[in-house]
Amino acid sequence: MAGQFTASARTDDLPEAMAELAAEFHALQAKERLQLLLELANDLPDLPERYAGRLEQMEKVDECQSPVFLAVEVDADAARTVHIFLSAPPEAPTTRGFAGILHESLDGLGADDVLAVPEEAPYRFGLSEAVSPLRMRGMVGMLGRIKRQVRARTTIDERQ
Amino acid sequence: MTTQTDPQSKLAAYAHPERLVTTDWLAEHLGEDNLVVLESNEDVLLYDTGHIPGALKLDWHLDLNDQLSRDYVDGEQFARVMGERGIRRDTTVVIYGDKSNWWATYALWVMTLFGHEDVRILDGGRAKWVAEGREMTTDVRPVTPTDYPVIERDDTAIRAFRQEVLEHLGKPMVDVRSPGEFSGELLSMPDYPQEGAMRGGHIPGARSVPWGRAANEDGTFRTREELEAIYQQEQGLDPSDDVVAYCRIGERSSHTWFVLTHLLGFERVRNYDGSWTEWGNSVGAPVER
């Protein structure tokens, strides 16, 4: 079963941290992949004070089956470093795990690197067979919204 | 039945009280021979964060649905799912889950397609057990697999297909989705846009009774009296009616199917699992707004 999704296991077009995480998932059997996803769910950092308790200031990720909120900040440095803040309740560990994957993979990258992540990257972790493809769409939605926010925060000048 | 039923008085008023157990009853009977507890959630990882001691995971998507065609598992797949969990044909199975037991009643409904006789719901589900501060564990108990027989799935008694629903038009039908979905304002359930449809509205003649009206805040079922007030007095349904219930993919309507069949004693209730994701995408199907 572990080899079933090798065709989609391409990682050379993913940012380094994401590629490493994808390889880590692929080295595991389906059941162990769920355990790793759970670890990532547990490791999702708490929101900083400026967002905690202020979910209305964040974007709701409607594609997820649980209340997930997202905020993206982009620094004014040369690389336009991206910071990602995600909140999902403990009773939604799968969604938290998806958020954990994206946080671990993308937080701290430059804006261009985040925007270059392929839309279908969520399917590169070999999770479809363990989680079901239907549920994977939540992570696709999260990634899409992260990229859209990065784009919005880096193209304001050009729009004016 | 081999395992005694829960004598609690709220339960005793229901038409089939043997279909429910309380948290007290379960705590007392955990670990007994021939009792298997299953957790069935929307979230595939929730069980792994902690579950009732001895409970085993049953995933609605990976264990009960065929992974290729839109259908339930067949007799052989079902026998494997049961056998892996040490369930025999005469085992008492208690199911509980998140979201006021949506997915637990869905699992019970699928087990009923295969005629498993003694399958019960934990009233209040996972949330009530947790709220009462009862023991949870991440340990998964070892299972001695059993040889569950291969039973042919019976789709005639409690399941309705599109064609049967077309023939049912004009007879009692319950739409258990949210008011916005019923009116056609929303093409999908709030927060679940990935399971949308081309057309919004409801099946002509269906009554709107959102599933959640049958549940209390703590996830338990309302009393028989309260349920009768909703489905019989307010909606005018009769236990002898031929009723079809539907939602979006058949999971919320499993909850209503359970309420009508086992708590109120309706004799013929079918769950249309194709539900709005089939009907609202189906060319030529009549829609009312």
Side-chain angles (χ1 to χ4, degrees), chain A residues 60 62 64 94 130 135 137, chain B residues 42-43 59-60 62 191 193:
Chain A
K60 187 166 189 299
D62 285 330
C64 288
T94 302
R135 290 166 168 142
R137 294 185 202 169
Chain B
E42 176 168 276
D43 192 301
D59 185 67
W60 67 274
L62 300 172
D191 304 340

Side-chain angles (χ1 to χ4, degrees), chain A residues 34-35 37-38 41 60 62-66 90-95 128-135 137, chain B residues 41-49 57 59-62 67 98-99 103 126 191-195 248-249:
Chain A
L34 283 183
Q35 282 308 312
L37 188 62
L38 189 55
K60 187 166 189 299
D62 285 330
E63 291 83 355
C64 288
Q65 301 196 340
S66 326
E91 62 272 18
T94 302
T95 303
S128 294
E129 60 186 291
V131 171
S132 88
L134 186 72
R135 290 166 168 142
R137 294 185 202 169
Chain B
N41 297 318
E42 176 168 276
D43 192 301
V44 69
L45 270 184
L46 193 53
Y47 168 90
D48 302 270
T49 67
K57 173 161 138 183
D59 185 67
W60 67 274
H61 205 285
L62 300 172
Q67 294 304 297
D98 61 356
K99 307 233 165 188
W103 304 97
R126 181 183 167 98
D191 304 340
Y192 293 64
Q194 73 274 25
E195 290 164 17
R248 176 183 48 107
I249 57 168

Side-chain angles (χ1 to χ4, degrees), chain B residues 69-89:
Chain B
S69 108
R70 181 175 175 186
D71 206 347
Y72 298 99
V73 289
D74 63 18
E76 279 178 27
Q77 292 168 304
F78 184 72
R80 194 175 62 238
V81 168
M82 294 291 107
E84 282 169 0
R85 288 159 182 75
I87 297 169
R88 288 185 298 272
R89 196 64 177 154

